[in-house]
């Protein structure tokens, strides 16, 4: 036994290094027959195991050029201890696994790879190794059963790659255990092996992986639907073995995600790929089971990935085209899944789902005494559910033509979502702008936050088109503006909160644009197109941000509930949010905003102070001075003559000068001082003909306010972003052609410059007033 183990160990070391084997292939095959024990056969048919023994007895070579052995593997089963047999078996399985891995590796030398391939093919032809490995699934030693499953999965993948027909034994074994799920204890191994093989096929770089996967899935297509119906129809309370049910559920969810990924990325079409889309209602029943939080989390995340068409994204990254051709059947299935999500919410999913409990920790859920954390919600579930609902609404509205129906649905489901989120967000949304829910829920998950923002923007654009076609009266449009804020999906508020969260740092936006892990490019382009058409609303909302932040950081929607009551009691009273619809109403809107803050704002000076003081203290843009480009020389950092070069050093110095003058104006103590006519008319940023980006003022003739207003900070961020993109493009470091994006940013700059003229702003806030 010792000599046998030494030979295996020597063989393992050579294969691990990828060395060429010199002896005859049959000699090595002899040492790779798994050492079999009676316990391995206890749960399998006696005929399968006896066949394995017969094969072993027949294959003993007459002469072996490796060290001579006194015993054969069959004798080991009878005369050695169980632990020694298991050690040898584990080493045999390891050698087989490493050998197949070496065959599949492009780094293995050609002659060594051919030798390994020959050994494995002889092993497959001369023995029923699949039946031997399945016999080990029921071994009490979990490491041995796991290694057997992993080794079998690699053998199956090797057969698919080499175009070797899969054994009938494996197919029938898998079909039997999956169809007889309630009576089988080996279904988890079957599901795990299927999942492993599909993952390996996804990782394959060859052009034939679609055909390979099709060949592999053919025998199991209808079987998966039967298993789906059986698994999700279980009653958890009445199930005798809860752990078996949970393990089967988790394994099957991973398999389902891969099946759906193969539909999206490999364009395969099987019935089993549509099960989750067409029969999603039973999945939501599982969420109400009294199971561990990680099971519910897994279910919700899988559904979220399906709605976002991101199933299997980790395996397919880098090879998936950014814009895939339309798939009408998939579009129909997405609508069915979205409808199932909204139906579950309508039936009270959010009211019955608990998102509290122990926090998920690395290494387990138990926390040592003295290290307990304050109980809180599962933010993973909060984010996933929020994204589920907003994405489902977007998909549904894409197939809806009635504006009134969309408004009713949006108000119903968004109200349900906001009520669900309020207890879990501290401080409560009740004292904040309702549009802030998105940035607060997704603050720790950039990719999901941008997906939610994109879906919310899609909803807004769809409703806007329908409302513009049906609503022509000014009052109706004002009601529409109010509706966007009341239900937390105004795109300008959402984008401004995003910028505030990142400190108006253009380098973060640049990182988003370069990254392939988020949808920021698509979202950003769509938002910029909206912004250039809807600048008045954006500018007015920016002004409102400035005013409300000037009063002890009171946010925009703090009085929405009382405003709705006032509107109901006095229908003739103007709706404050409706005033956000145009620049011409900005003055009355500012007056209302100041009244809501319990301090009246008068024309001119007092208004300027309200705009300026708080922003002077919070203008810092972390990272704005950091550069993502390492220049080879000082010449590379200079501005070019092209119009795309948008960063001007004079603007930066003017901005710093404006900040200094702002601080001097209000004093070190922060006390408000009256601004005289002289200070009102003195520009802080000099307009020069060769300055590509000119700023005069923000809301009032005082140009100091322009340097600290949120609209200025937004456009300044855009300007810095343009410069960074241009520098990267100049060095051929930008990953795609940004010309269209730069044009959009340039257009926004032009609109901003036009809106910042003194005559333009005096007409907005102070109609009829004359300024020096």
């Amino acid at each position: 036994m010792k000599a046998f183990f030494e030979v295996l160990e020597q063989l393992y070391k050579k294969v691990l290094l990828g060395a060429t084997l010199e002896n005859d292939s049959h000699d090595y095959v002899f040492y790779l027959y798994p050492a079999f024990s009676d316990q391995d056969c206890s749960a399998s048919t006696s005929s399968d195991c006896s066949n394995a023994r017969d094969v072993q007895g027949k294959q003993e070579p007459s002469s072996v050029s490796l060290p001579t052995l006194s015993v054969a593997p069959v004798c080991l089963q009878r005369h050695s201890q169980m632990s020694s047999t298991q050690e040898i078996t584990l080493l045999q399985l390891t050698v087989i696994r490493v050998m197949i891995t070496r065959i599949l590796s492009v780094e293995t030398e050609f002659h060594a790879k051919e030798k390994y391939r020959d050994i494995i093919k002889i092993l497959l032809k001369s023995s029923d190794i699949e039946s031997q490995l399945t016999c080990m699934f029921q071994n009490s030693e979990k490491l041995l059963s796991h290694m057997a499953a992993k080794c079998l999965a690699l053998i199956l993948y090797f057969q698919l790659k080499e175009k070797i027909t899969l054994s009938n034994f494996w197919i029938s074994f898998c079909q039997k255990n999956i169809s007889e799920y309630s009576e089988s204890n080996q279904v988890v191994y079957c599901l795990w092996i299927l999942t492993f093989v599909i993952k390996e096929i996804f990782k394959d770089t060859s052009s034939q992986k679609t055909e390979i996967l099709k060949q592999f899935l053919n025998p199991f297509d209808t079987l998966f639907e039967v298993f789906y119906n059986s698994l999700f129809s279980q009653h958890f309370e009445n199930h005798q073995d809860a752990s078996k049910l949970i393990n089967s559920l988790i394994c099957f969810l991973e398999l389902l995600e891969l099946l759906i990924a193969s539909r999206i990325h490999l364009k395969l079409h099987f019935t089993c790929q549509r099960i989750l889309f067409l029969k999603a209602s039973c999945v939501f029943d599982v969420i109400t089971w009294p199971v561990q939080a990680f099971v519910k989390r897994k279910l919700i995340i899988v559904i979220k990935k399906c709605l976002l068409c991101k199933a299997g994204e980790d395996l397919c990254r880098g090879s998936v085209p950014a814009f895939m051709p339309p798939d009408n059947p998939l579009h129909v299935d997405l609508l069915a899944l979205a409808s199932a999500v909204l139906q579950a919410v309508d039936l009270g999913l959010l009211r019955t789902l608990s998102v509290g409990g122990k926090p998920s920790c690395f290494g387990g859920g138990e926390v040592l005494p003295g290290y307990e954390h304050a109980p809180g919600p599962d933010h993973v579930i909060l984010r996933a559910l929020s994204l589920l609902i907003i994405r489902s609404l977007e998909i549904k509205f894409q197939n809806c033509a009635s504006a009134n129906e969309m408004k009713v649905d949006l108000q119903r489901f968004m109200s349900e979502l906001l009520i669900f989120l309020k207890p879990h967000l501290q401080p409560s949304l009740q004292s904040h702008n309702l549009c802030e829910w998105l940035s607060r829920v997704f603050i720790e998950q950039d990719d999901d936050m941008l997906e939610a923002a994109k879906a919310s923007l899609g909803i807004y654009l769809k409703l806007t088109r329908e409302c513009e076609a049906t609503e022509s009266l000014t009052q109706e449009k004002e009601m529409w503006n109010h509706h966007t804020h009341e239900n937390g999906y105004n795109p300008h508020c959402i984008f401004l909160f995003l910028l505030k969260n990142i400190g108006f740092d253009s380098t973060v936006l640049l990182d988003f644009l370069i990254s392939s892990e988020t949808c920021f490019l698509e979202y950003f382009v769509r938002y910029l197109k909206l912004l250039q058409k809807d600048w008045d609303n954006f500018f007015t909302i920016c002004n409102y941000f400035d005013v409300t932040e000037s009063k002890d950081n009171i946010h925009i929607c703090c009085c929405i509930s009382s405003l709705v009551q006032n509107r109901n009691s006095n229908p003739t009273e103007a709706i404050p949010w409706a005033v956000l619809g145009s620049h011409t109403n900005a003055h009355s809107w500012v007056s209302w905003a100041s009244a809501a803050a319990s301090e009246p704002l008068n024309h001119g000076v007092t208004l300027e102070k309200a705009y300026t003081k708080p922003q002077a203290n919070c203008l810092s843009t972390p990272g704005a001075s950091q550069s993502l480009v390492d220049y080879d020389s000082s010449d590379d950092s200079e501005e070019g003559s092209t119009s795309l070069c948008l960063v001007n050093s004079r603007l930066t110095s003017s901005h710093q000068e404006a900040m200094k003058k702002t601080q001097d104006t209000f004093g070190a103590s922060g006390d408000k001082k009256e601004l005289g006519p002289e200070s009102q008319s003195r520009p802080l940023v000099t307009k020069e003909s060769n300055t590509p980006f000119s700023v005069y003022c923000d809301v009032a003739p005082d140009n100091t306010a322009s340097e600290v207003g949120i609209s200025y900070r937004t456009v300044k961020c855009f300007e810095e972003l343009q410069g960074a993109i241009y520098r990267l493009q100049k060095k051929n470091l930008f990953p795609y052609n940004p010309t269209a994006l730069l044009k959009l940013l340039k257009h926004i700059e032009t609109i901003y410059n036009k809106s910042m003229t003194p005559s333009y702003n005096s007409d907005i806030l102070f109609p009829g007033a004359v300024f020096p």
Side-chain angles (χ1 to χ4, degrees):
M1 182 192 303
K2 182 178 179 181
F4 188 88
F5 189 87
E6 289 176 354
V7 172
L8 272 176
E9 192 172 29
Q10 183 184 8
L11 180 60
Y12 168 71
K13 290 178 180 178
K14 285 188 174 182
V15 175
L16 189 62
L17 294 173
T20 304
L21 302 178
E22 299 175 354
N23 292 353
D24 185 74
S25 298
H26 290 83
D27 296 341
Y28 296 107
V29 170
F30 171 74
Y31 293 95
L32 295 180
Y33 291 130
F36 224 58
S37 67
D38 293 334
Q39 184 182 358
D40 296 330
C41 303
S42 59
S44 303
T45 60
S46 59
S47 61
D48 294 335
C49 296
S50 62
N51 289 339
R53 290 192 181 93
D54 292 341
V55 171
Q56 280 187 328
K58 292 177 182 178
Q59 295 299 321
E60 183 174 355
S62 57
S63 63
V64 182
S65 57
L66 292 173
T68 305
L69 301 179
S70 58
V71 290
V74 176
C75 299
L76 288 174
Q77 302 171 37
R78 302 167 183 162
H79 304 292
S80 60
Q81 297 179 354
M82 183 66 65
S83 59
S84 300
T85 306
Q86 288 179 349
E87 288 177 5
I88 291 177
T89 304
L90 284 171
L91 186 54
Q92 288 173 323
L93 297 177
T94 303
V95 173
I96 294 173
R97 180 179 62 83
V98 174
M99 191 173 287
I100 295 176
T101 304
R102 274 294 178 182
I103 296 171
L104 300 173
S105 173
V106 295
E107 299 177 357
T108 308
E109 193 267 331
F110 175 77
H111 294 291
K113 183 182 294 188
E114 288 300 310
K115 189 71 172 182
Y116 299 158
R117 182 181 283 111
D118 187 46
I119 293 172
I120 296 298
K121 285 185 176 181
I122 293 174
L123 179 64
L124 293 175
K125 289 179 181 179
S126 58
S127 67
D128 192 5
I129 193 171
E130 289 95 341
S131 64
Q132 297 179 54
L133 294 175
T134 54
C135 285
M136 298 181 193
F137 289 170
Q138 293 302 309
N139 194 288
S140 58
E141 180 61 43
K142 296 300 181 184
L143 179 58
L144 183 59
S145 60
H146 173 72
M147 284 296 297
K150 194 167 185 177
C151 190
L152 178 56
L154 274 173
I155 288 174
L156 293 172
Y157 180 60
F158 172 79
Q159 290 175 321
L160 290 168
K161 285 283 289 182
E162 297 294 323
K163 298 183 179 179
I164 300 173
T165 305
L166 299 179
S167 69
N168 292 329
F169 171 81
W170 156 251
I171 294 175
S172 59
F173 173 83
C174 201
Q175 288 175 338
K176 179 181 178 182
N177 283 278
I178 291 179
S179 60
E180 299 175 359
Y181 156 73
S182 58
E183 302 173 3
S184 171
N185 294 321
Q186 303 184 61
V187 66
V188 173
Y189 290 101
C190 294
L191 295 173
W192 186 90
I193 291 171
L194 290 168
T195 302
F196 182 92
V197 174
I198 296 176
K199 283 182 178 180
E200 292 301 313
I201 295 174
F202 265 107
K203 295 175 185 177
D204 191 2
T205 57
S206 70
S207 59
Q208 298 180 349
K209 62 181 179 181
T210 301
E211 291 300 320
I212 293 174
L213 185 56
K214 184 177 181 180
Q215 176 190 348
F216 183 65
L217 291 179
N218 267 328
F220 308 108
D221 186 20
T222 56
L223 183 65
F224 289 146
E225 185 174 5
V226 174
F227 180 71
Y228 182 95
N229 295 331
S230 173
L231 180 65
F232 288 105
S233 62
Q234 298 283 327
H235 295 284
F236 184 80
E237 296 81 359
N238 303 330
H239 208 277
Q240 297 178 352
D241 191 353
S243 62
K244 173 189 171 183
L245 178 60
I246 292 175
N247 288 336
S248 301
L249 182 61
I250 294 297
C251 287
F252 190 56
L253 284 174
E254 291 184 6
L255 178 59
L256 273 179
E257 182 181 348
L258 290 175
L259 293 174
I260 295 167
S262 67
R263 177 185 185 182
I264 297 172
H265 301 291
L266 300 182
K267 302 304 178 185
L268 283 177
H269 298 283
F270 286 99
T271 305
C272 59
Q273 297 169 321
R274 306 185 63 194
I275 308 172
L276 183 61
F277 293 93
L278 302 181
K279 298 182 178 181
S281 57
C282 55
V283 177
F284 289 104
D285 294 336
V286 177
I287 295 178
T288 61
W289 288 358
V291 294
Q292 294 95 324
F294 77 90
V295 179
K296 300 178 181 180
R297 189 184 304 121
K298 181 71 176 179
L299 279 165
I300 296 172
I301 289 176
V302 169
I303 297 174
K304 180 196 76 173
K305 288 183 176 181
C306 292
L307 283 175
L308 297 175
C309 294
K310 286 189 173 183
E313 61 178 342
D314 295 335
L315 295 171
C316 305
R317 184 174 299 163
S319 60
V320 184
F323 300 99
M324 293 182 292
D327 184 347
N328 290 331
L330 179 60
H331 182 76
V332 172
D333 290 352
L334 285 173
L335 179 59
L337 181 58
S339 299
V341 171
L342 297 177
Q343 182 182 12
V345 174
D346 218 13
L347 294 175
L349 174 66
L350 299 182
R351 294 189 293 271
T352 58
L353 179 63
S354 173
V355 295
K358 295 182 179 179
S360 299
C361 304
F362 181 76
E366 297 299 327
V367 182
L368 293 176
Y371 293 91
E372 296 87 354
H373 297 280
D378 187 331
H379 291 280
V380 176
I381 293 182
L382 286 182
R383 288 193 294 266
L385 278 174
S386 300
L387 186 50
L388 268 184
I389 294 174
I390 197 76
R391 172 63 177 157
S392 297
L393 286 170
E394 182 191 20
I395 293 174
K396 182 178 180 181
F397 291 171
Q398 287 172 353
N399 300 271
C400 184
S402 172
N404 290 331
E405 180 184 346
M406 286 188 283
K407 283 184 178 180
V408 170
D409 285 345
L410 183 63
Q411 187 162 9
R412 183 168 82 252
F413 289 110
M414 287 304 297
S415 298
E416 190 89 14
L417 176 60
L418 292 174
I419 291 172
F420 170 72
L421 292 174
K422 276 183 181 180
H424 305 299
L425 297 179
Q426 299 300 327
S428 175
L429 278 176
Q430 187 174 7
S431 59
H432 288 73
N433 182 346
L434 294 183
C435 297
E436 192 183 6
W437 75 270
L438 194 147
S439 60
R440 294 184 60 194
V441 169
F442 296 99
I443 187 67
E444 297 178 0
Q445 195 74 30
D446 293 340
D447 53 346
D448 281 355
M449 175 176 65
L450 295 172
E451 288 287 353
K454 181 166 75 80
S456 178
L457 178 59
I459 292 173
Y460 177 87
L461 293 175
K462 174 68 175 179
L463 276 169
T464 300
R465 286 192 295 268
E466 298 299 329
C467 290
E468 286 178 350
T470 58
E471 298 177 357
S472 57
L473 298 178
T474 304
Q475 186 177 3
E476 291 176 341
K477 291 182 178 180
E478 291 175 352
M479 290 290 293
W480 157 243
N481 282 328
H482 173 71
H483 190 272
T484 64
H485 296 280
E486 188 180 43
N487 293 285
Y489 68 100
N490 184 276
H492 302 305
C493 289
I494 290 173
F495 185 76
L496 288 174
F497 278 121
L498 168 63
L499 288 183
K500 289 181 67 178
N501 283 343
I502 64 174
F504 295 86
D505 188 352
S506 62
T507 61
V508 177
L509 298 185
L510 181 63
D511 186 41
F512 284 160
L513 285 173
I514 294 175
S515 173
S516 61
E517 298 179 359
T518 72
C519 63
F520 181 71
L521 174 61
E522 182 183 356
Y523 164 68
F524 194 43
V525 169
R526 293 180 70 185
Y527 177 72
L528 291 178
K529 289 181 178 179
L530 169 68
L531 182 58
Q532 63 184 2
K533 297 177 181 178
D534 198 31
W535 176 260
D536 286 356
N537 271 335
F538 171 78
F539 185 82
T540 309
I541 290 174
C542 286
N543 293 340
Y544 191 53
F545 268 69
D546 294 337
V547 171
T548 52
E549 286 187 355
S550 71
K551 299 297 181 180
D552 299 323
N553 203 25
I554 296 176
H555 292 265
I556 300 174
C557 288
C558 60
C559 300
I560 278 187
S561 57
S562 62
L563 296 173
V564 175
Q565 294 176 358
N566 293 338
R567 176 168 57 87
N568 293 335
S569 60
N570 188 6
T572 60
E573 185 178 348
I575 301 171
W577 272 114
V579 184
L580 297 180
S582 64
H583 266 325
T584 55
N585 292 325
H587 176 62
S588 59
W589 159 73
V590 169
S591 300
W592 168 82
S594 59
S598 302
E599 278 191 38
L601 294 179
N602 299 320
H603 294 292
V605 175
T606 310
L607 179 61
E608 292 164 6
K609 291 187 294 183
Y611 270 89
T612 309
K613 178 183 175 182
Q615 298 295 346
N617 298 325
C618 62
L619 183 59
S620 61
T621 55
S625 60
Q626 303 292 329
S627 175
L628 293 184
V629 182
D630 293 328
Y631 297 107
D632 297 331
S633 67
S634 59
D635 295 337
D636 295 332
S637 65
E638 294 179 0
E639 299 297 335
S641 59
T642 174
S643 61
L644 290 176
C645 192
L646 300 172
V647 179
N648 190 289
S649 59
R650 288 190 298 273
L651 179 60
T652 304
S653 60
S654 298
H655 172 66
Q656 294 172 349
E657 180 185 354
M659 287 299 301
K660 183 178 183 304
K661 292 188 177 183
T662 301
Q663 295 171 357
D664 294 341
T665 301
F666 295 111
S669 62
D671 295 334
K672 298 180 181 180
K673 295 181 180 179
E674 295 293 331
L675 300 180
E678 221 178 318
S679 63
Q680 291 182 11
S681 60
R682 184 176 63 251
L684 294 179
V685 179
T686 306
K687 182 181 178 182
E688 298 178 8
S689 59
N690 59 347
T691 302
F693 184 88
S694 303
V695 179
Y696 294 99
C697 60
D698 196 6
V699 278
D702 177 21
N703 297 293
T704 304
S706 70
E707 297 293 318
V708 293
I710 199 168
S711 60
Y712 167 79
R713 297 166 71 188
T714 301
V715 181
K716 180 68 164 61
C717 179
F718 288 172
E719 175 232 358
E720 293 170 352
L721 180 62
Q722 291 177 72
I725 293 174
Y726 175 72
R727 288 194 297 271
L728 289 175
Q729 184 189 27
K730 188 178 179 181
K731 288 180 169 254
N732 293 323
L733 296 176
F734 207 72
Y736 51 85
N737 185 359
T739 304
L741 177 61
L742 289 171
K743 287 181 179 178
L744 283 172
L745 291 170
K746 179 67 177 178
H747 193 198
I748 298 300
E749 174 197 334
T750 303
I751 296 174
Y752 180 79
N753 285 336
K754 180 180 177 181
S755 66
M756 288 298 99
T757 58
S759 58
Y760 186 92
N761 284 283
S762 63
D763 289 338
I764 293 171
L765 290 178
F766 310 105
V770 178
F771 296 95

